[in-house]
Amino acid sequence: MQTLATEPVTLYVFPYGGGPANLYVAAPDTSGDAACKSQRTYPLKPGLNTVADSGGGMIYLGFVAGSGELSVSELKGAVKAPRFELGRTTPQEYRKALDEAATPQAELVSPHAILTVDVPSALQWRGEDQTALMKGYESIIARHNATAGLNSASGINRPVPLPHHLVLQAGNQGTYAEARDFYTTYTRPLAGELLRPAELGWLVWHELGRQYESALYNSPDFAEVTVNIFFLAAQREAGRRSRLLDVRSDGKDHWDSALEKVGTPGLEYSWLDHFQRLSFL
């Protein structure tokens, strides 16, 4: 669902168990208004809740801590955004919703991924296979979890329970992507790499890989290095040629260039470039 800036949203929250619950307004980076760039949070209580937000955007429900079940009835104010849910929505139903959209954004959802995009970009790539697309995201995340050793149903090796959120930014500023706390963000010229199953590759593999790193234990020497362990694992599973075999400006591939450094007297890890450092791991 999406709320428009001019219309407060009224919800009825049924009594629930679990920790405090919130309503979150807007996917980050999706507003062209700098004051509304970040997601806004509003606490919920059982019974009637009315939320007025100056920026509007997609709306989400969640618990502050712990888990539980939250049942909500939307009484007025929200507008239904086009939504594709893997296993529940057909591509035809999603395309029809796009054609009739009254909201600026749309979402595609699978068990472990949320993809928030602007409607014009969604319309541009409406002819793609959305089922194959979201299965592709599920495959990438499963591979990243396995690479990180997150392969248990419980305990410290349990994958993060929240889905990965990928956001297509408002505006057309440059061509770049970033990983931030709780989401990854991509500029609008990269829409095709997010919305076309055949284009899922380096960009998504790399940025989602960052979600498995932590500045608390990662040395600065590993910046742009350990993240590519996830990229290489996804690349291998996709049957593509390793990027370590790309030829450098000196005519050697990254792997051979790194091997030549073995035995160099006084060699410092910081002297190596990112792919040479990766080759040594």
Side-chain angles (χ1 to χ4, degrees), residues 43 52 71 78 96-97 118 122 148 164 169 174 177 183 198 210 236 259 269 273:
S71 295
K96 184 175 185 294
D118 61 286
H164 292 264
Q169 294 183 25
Y183 71 103
R210 291 185 183 279
R236 183 182 301 115
L259 291 181
Y269 191 66
D273 66 30

Side-chain angles (χ1 to χ4, degrees), residues 80-83 92-102 119:
K80 189 172 183 179
R83 174 184 169 93
Q92 293 75 21
E93 291 169 335
Y94 171 68
R95 294 164 194 162
K96 184 175 185 294
L98 284 176
D99 291 336
E100 300 171 352
V119 168

Side-chain angles (χ1 to χ4, degrees), residues 248-270:
R248 300 152 43 96
S249 59
D250 60 7
K252 301 168 186 175
D253 63 41
H254 297 293
W255 179 257
D256 286 340
S257 176
L259 291 181
E260 285 185 352
K261 303 292 184 182
V262 175
T264 301
L267 177 66
E268 297 275 348
Y269 191 66
S270 60

Side-chain angles (χ1 to χ4, degrees), residues 181-192:
D181 291 341
F182 312 116
Y183 71 103
T184 57
T185 181
Y186 310 81
T187 53
R188 194 168 292 179
L190 297 172

Side-chain angles (χ1 to χ4, degrees), residues 144-157:
H144 279 22
N145 284 341
T147 300
L150 301 177
N151 52 11
S152 174
S154 61
I156 62 173
N157 293 329

Side-chain angles (χ1 to χ4, degrees), residues 76-191:
K76 65 177 182 177
V79 180
K80 189 172 183 179
R83 174 184 169 93
F84 176 87
E85 185 173 354
L86 182 63
R88 296 189 65 178
T89 313
T90 67
Q92 293 75 21
E93 291 169 335
Y94 171 68
R95 294 164 194 162
K96 184 175 185 294
L98 284 176
D99 291 336
E100 300 171 352
T103 59
Q105 285 137 17
E107 284 194 333
L108 300 98
V109 179
S110 61
H112 301 98
I114 300 172
L115 177 57
T116 305
V117 301
D118 61 286
V119 168
S121 294
L123 284 168
Q124 181 181 1
W125 304 110
R126 70 192 297 278
E128 297 293 324
D129 184 341
Q130 287 78 34
T131 298
L133 178 71
M134 299 316 293
K135 284 183 176 179
Y137 280 107
E138 287 296 300
S139 177
I140 292 167
I141 293 166
R143 170 49 52 196
H144 279 22
N145 284 341
T147 300
L150 301 177
N151 52 11
S152 174
S154 61
I156 62 173
N157 293 329
R158 177 174 176 252
V160 175
L162 298 177
H164 292 264
H165 198 170
L166 302 92
V167 176
L168 196 61
Q169 294 183 25
N172 292 288
Q173 61 280 35
T175 304
Y176 66 89
E178 294 181 310
R180 299 178 182 162
D181 291 341
F182 312 116
Y183 71 103
T184 57
T185 181
Y186 310 81
T187 53
R188 194 168 292 179
L190 297 172

